[in-house]
Amino acid sequence: MIASCKMRAVGIALSFIGSSSDSIGTLLQKKAQEEATKAAEEEEREEGELDYVKTCTWRTGFGLFVFGSILAFVAIGIVGPSVIVVVSAFALVVNLVFSPKILGEARRWSDWVAVFFIVVGICLAITATETNRKREVVTISEMAVRVSSRKAQAVWVTLAISLIGLTAACRLPKGQLKPKGSLHHMIFVARPAISGTTTIMLAAPTSALIQDPVNGPAWMWALPVAMICSTVLDVHFVNKSLKYNDALFHAPVCFVLWQIFSLLCGAVMYEETNGFGTLQWAMAGAGIGSTLIGVAVSTLRPFPGAPGYTRLEFL
């Protein structure tokens, strides 16, 4: 029991470190894009779409992002995805603290309010899951059945269609340099949120397969490959969103969309809501409602270039 408690403490610690590393890495990737734009202006040339990749800042940020993702994956195997979801909310606090320092983004009262509602909502939703007495340990054979069931197939198809549709919607018409309107800005945030959902749906069976590779069916080894591909695409579209959105807008909205989609897909595919009573449903509903309020408050931030948009100036 003591060893189990110690391992759980290690898993929680890894979750905190991973979420913090992920958040700071994302901020540095955004900073690299600004550096690439400034360099192109000073050299009086057209900025290349991937110029930021060549900067040391982006490579450092990408390294921190990968490091945080690896720690989160390891933690999933120790404490499960539910705890990861709760601790991941800490990344929003890290983002709110460091964004003004790294990017010069001015904090607004709405940012603090949004983070409050989002964190409260996430804690309520996950508490509902954690107090479910019918939680069970799933074997690799049972996991194989769940990810290949008809319900799971419906989830995979829905995610694939969403990814294709949002990817097409993220393309800017020729001659248009940035998204037009709040809806288009939201689409750029929603695309990596769907990638993140796909990745977390693939992470659970991948973790189970790594823990029991002998008894897993051969076809399941395609899932880790798909997870890696999804992660790479996620990084690409996170950077595209950061190019047009403030980190203080992208982070909370993307996080909550990812959270809601993951909750819905997990409930269908992995039956995480089986055994919910009235109290659990009430907390889950209140949690989702609170996170939606947080998203609504986050959208009050002016977009770059819009009236009322301000940045901090450093001497």
Side-chain angles (χ1 to χ4, degrees):
M1 178 62 71
I2 295 178
S4 177
C5 291
K6 287 183 177 179
M7 286 301 297
R8 190 171 183 81
V10 170
I12 293 175
L14 290 177
S15 301
F16 271 105
I17 297 172
S19 62
S20 300
S21 179
D22 192 326
S23 181
I24 295 175
T26 300
L27 293 177
L28 289 176
Q29 290 178 68
K30 168 71 172 177
K31 179 68 173 179
Q33 294 189 11
E34 296 181 349
E35 291 177 352
T37 300
K38 184 177 180 181
E41 292 175 351
E42 291 176 349
E43 298 171 8
E44 297 182 349
R45 60 175 175 80
E46 185 177 351
E47 181 184 358
E49 185 176 359
L50 297 177
D51 278 0
Y52 60 86
V53 176
K54 304 173 185 177
T55 66
C56 180
T57 302
W58 187 87
R59 293 171 183 171
T60 302
F62 178 70
L64 288 172
F65 182 87
V66 171
F67 177 68
S69 298
I70 292 174
L71 290 184
F73 181 76
V74 173
I76 286 176
I78 300 175
V79 297
S82 296
V83 176
I84 301 299
V85 168
V86 175
V87 177
S88 293
F90 184 69
L92 300 177
V93 179
V94 174
N95 184 73
L96 187 60
V97 171
F98 286 95
S99 182
K101 299 179 182 298
I102 296 176
L103 299 175
E105 295 180 359
R107 297 191 192 99
R108 301 170 67 89
W109 66 267
S110 58
D111 297 324
W112 295 102
V113 175
V115 167
F116 171 77
F117 277 107
I118 289 169
V119 172
V120 168
I122 290 171
C123 290
L124 283 172
I126 301 308
T127 299
T129 302
E130 290 294 308
T131 55
N132 182 7
R133 295 183 179 181
K134 291 188 178 181
R135 295 173 60 199
E136 56 185 354
V137 177
V138 181
T139 65
I140 186 64
S141 299
E142 293 170 335
M143 181 65 74
V145 172
R146 290 187 178 184
V147 298
S148 60
S149 66
R150 287 190 176 183
K151 291 189 296 183
Q153 291 173 20
V155 171
W156 296 127
V157 170
T158 301
L159 289 173
I161 293 174
S162 299
L163 289 170
I164 294 172
L166 289 172
T167 299
C170 284
R171 294 178 61 87
L172 295 177
K174 187 176 181 180
Q176 183 177 324
L177 300 179
K178 60 182 181 180
K180 289 186 177 180
S182 59
L183 178 60
H184 206 186
H185 278 274
M186 284 290 293
I187 288 174
F188 274 84
V189 178
R191 176 57 180 80
I194 295 295
S195 291
T197 299
T198 304
T199 301
I200 201 69
M201 289 298 101
L202 292 167
T206 297
S207 178
L209 184 62
I210 291 175
Q211 294 179 52
D212 189 6
V214 176
N215 296 314
W219 62 265
M220 282 192 70
W221 287 103
L223 300 181
V225 176
M227 186 186 72
I228 293 173
C229 293
S230 177
T231 302
V232 173
L233 288 173
D234 189 32
V235 171
H236 171 69
F237 282 99
V238 163
N239 278 275
K240 286 188 72 73
S241 176
L242 291 173
K243 184 176 180 64
Y244 304 117
N245 296 306
D246 272 0
L248 287 176
F249 171 78
H250 167 88
V253 175
C254 184
F255 182 85
V256 170
L257 291 176
W258 165 72
Q259 206 53 62
I260 293 175
F261 295 148
S262 298
L263 178 64
L264 293 175
C265 292
V268 174
M269 188 182 303
Y270 301 127
E271 303 175 354
E272 293 180 348
T273 57
N274 280 4
F276 266 30
T278 302
L279 178 61
Q280 282 76 25
W281 283 114
M283 287 192 294
I288 293 176
S290 183
T291 54
L292 290 176
I293 292 174
V295 172
V297 174
S298 292
T299 60
L300 297 177
R301 283 185 63 82
F303 295 109
Y309 179 78
T310 58
R311 295 292 295 268
L312 299 176
E313 299 293 337
F314 298 105
L315 297 178

